[in-house]
């Protein structure tokens, strides 16, 4: 019995040491997560219940949330964000998937070149990309897109300055930029498909489209779901494009929720209203993400 007791004591000591070092290694990222994620969320919720200013605040309860129910600009920003999301996320996923399918047949060295080419624009800051696109959309004689339109026999267009084209301009910018991360993730998923599937399909005489439909698309469904969820979260938080390209105009037709929150907080000093909008946005994103996981992730392993 004494030997068993000593052995159990040594086992508990070793287990404590293992747990200690495990918790020690995760302590730093956990503290950073609490400081820069958990605390800001709790603080934002508290501010949303106040008429807040840095010097003196007044507790107003749910008044900020009630005011949003009659805020037409807030609902318009939600509509603009939904239009932008529906217009960009599915198209971006299709573009990234097609590019990945076209790149995978090449050798690994050629794949590396294409990965670098598509990923490099993602390294550039959003400000740099916006400046480039401002030049593309600018008026004549420097505007690249207007030069192309005139060369094709059309008339110059004020792409960012009129309601009919401002949102399309932001959507087009999203379609033609920053697919690098999605392409790389899709390539990794495609390379993970067992070659046996393709060999059996070849024996059955399957065409390229049949392989794509019955092998490739089902195999990358978990990746597609991941990119869909993260893409929608990112598009709901879009800020830089609207801020740099249009400033939310004309007539607030490109005012996204993220830009409205920024303006209320740092332009008009309406911190309580801004935090209430941010909390509603976070809840909306969470609900949409859960619905996606429920309806599109039934046969996906997590």
């Amino acid at each position: 019995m004494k030997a068993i007791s000593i052995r159990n004591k040594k086992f508990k000591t070793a287990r404590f040491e293992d747990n200690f070092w495990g918790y020690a290694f995760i302590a730093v990222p956990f503290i950073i997560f609490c400081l820069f994620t958990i605390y800001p969320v709790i603080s934002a919720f508290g501010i949303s219940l106040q008429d807040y200013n840095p010097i003196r605040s007044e507790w107003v309860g749910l008044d900020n949330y009630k005011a949003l129910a009659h805020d037409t600009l807030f609902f318009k920003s939600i509509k603009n964000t939904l239009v932008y999301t529906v217009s960009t996320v599915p198209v971006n996923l299709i573009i990234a998937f097609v590019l990945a399918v076209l790149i995978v047949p090449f050798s690994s060295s050629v794949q590396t070149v294409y990965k670098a080419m598509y990923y490099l624009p993602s390294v550039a800051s959003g400000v740099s990309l916006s400046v480039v696109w401002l030049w593309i959309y600018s008026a004549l004689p420097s505007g690249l897109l207007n030069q192309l339109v005139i060369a094709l026999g059309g008339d110059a267009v004020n792409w960012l300055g009129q309601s009919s084209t401002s949102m399309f301009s932001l959507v087009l910018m999203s379609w033609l930029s920053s697919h690098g991360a999605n392409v790389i993730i899709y390539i990794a998923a495609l390379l993970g498909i067992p070659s046996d599937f393709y060999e059996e399909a070849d024996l059955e005489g399957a065409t390229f489209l049949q392989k794509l439909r019955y092998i490739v698309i089902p195999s990358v469904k978990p990746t597609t779901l991941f990119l869909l969820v993260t893409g929608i979260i990112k598009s709901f938080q879009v800020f830089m494009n609207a801020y740099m390209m249009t400033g939310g105009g004309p007539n607030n037709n490109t005012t996204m929720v993220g830009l409205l929150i920024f303006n209320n907080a740092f332009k008009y000093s309406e911190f309580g209203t801004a935090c209430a909008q941010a909390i509603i946005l976070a809840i909306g994103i969470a609900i949409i993400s859960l619905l996606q996981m429920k309806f599109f992730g039934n046969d996906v392993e997590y």
Side-chain angles (χ1 to χ4, degrees), residues 205-264:
T207 63
F208 171 78
L209 293 178
Q210 288 174 328
K211 293 178 185 177
L212 198 65
R213 178 180 177 183
Y214 296 107
I215 298 177
V216 176
I217 293 177
S219 297
V220 300
K221 185 176 179 180
T223 302
T224 301
L225 178 61
F226 168 76
L227 293 178
L228 178 64
V229 173
T230 55
I232 289 179
I233 292 173
K234 183 178 178 181
S235 66
F236 263 83
Q237 297 175 331
V238 66
F239 164 76
M240 184 60 67
N241 295 358
Y243 179 75
M244 288 292 298
M245 302 290 289
T246 64
N251 300 321
N252 292 310
N253 285 315
T254 58
T255 298
M256 312 294 182
V257 179
L259 178 59
L260 182 63
I261 293 171
F262 175 86
N263 287 337
N264 283 329

Side-chain angles (χ1 to χ4, degrees), residues 129-279:
L129 291 175
S130 296
V131 169
V132 172
W133 278 95
L134 281 172
W135 167 70
I136 293 174
Y137 285 133
S138 62
L140 293 174
S142 60
L144 181 62
L145 188 56
N146 274 328
Q147 291 182 20
L148 179 61
V149 169
I150 291 175
L152 295 175
D155 297 323
V157 178
N158 185 7
W159 296 100
L160 301 175
Q162 59 186 32
S163 301
S164 58
T165 57
S166 56
M167 178 61 76
F168 173 76
S169 299
L170 297 184
V171 171
L172 181 63
M173 176 184 174
S174 177
W175 288 348
L176 300 180
S177 61
S178 301
H179 298 296
N182 289 357
V183 170
I184 289 176
I185 293 173
Y186 262 132
I187 289 176
L190 292 173
L191 292 175
I193 300 175
S195 58
D196 297 346
F197 292 173
Y198 297 115
E199 293 173 0
E200 185 174 348
D202 289 332
L203 292 175
E204 296 292 334
T207 63
F208 171 78
L209 293 178
Q210 288 174 328
K211 293 178 185 177
L212 198 65
R213 178 180 177 183
Y214 296 107
I215 298 177
V216 176
I217 293 177
S219 297
V220 300
K221 185 176 179 180
T223 302
T224 301
L225 178 61
F226 168 76
L227 293 178
L228 178 64
V229 173
T230 55
I232 289 179
I233 292 173
K234 183 178 178 181
S235 66
F236 263 83
Q237 297 175 331
V238 66
F239 164 76
M240 184 60 67
N241 295 358
Y243 179 75
M244 288 292 298
M245 302 290 289
T246 64
N251 300 321
N252 292 310
N253 285 315
T254 58
T255 298
M256 312 294 182
V257 179
L259 178 59
L260 182 63
I261 293 171
F262 175 86
N263 287 337
N264 283 329
F266 301 107
K267 189 174 180 180
Y268 306 116
S269 298
E270 297 287 344
F271 296 102
T273 300
C275 287
Q277 292 169 341
I279 294 297

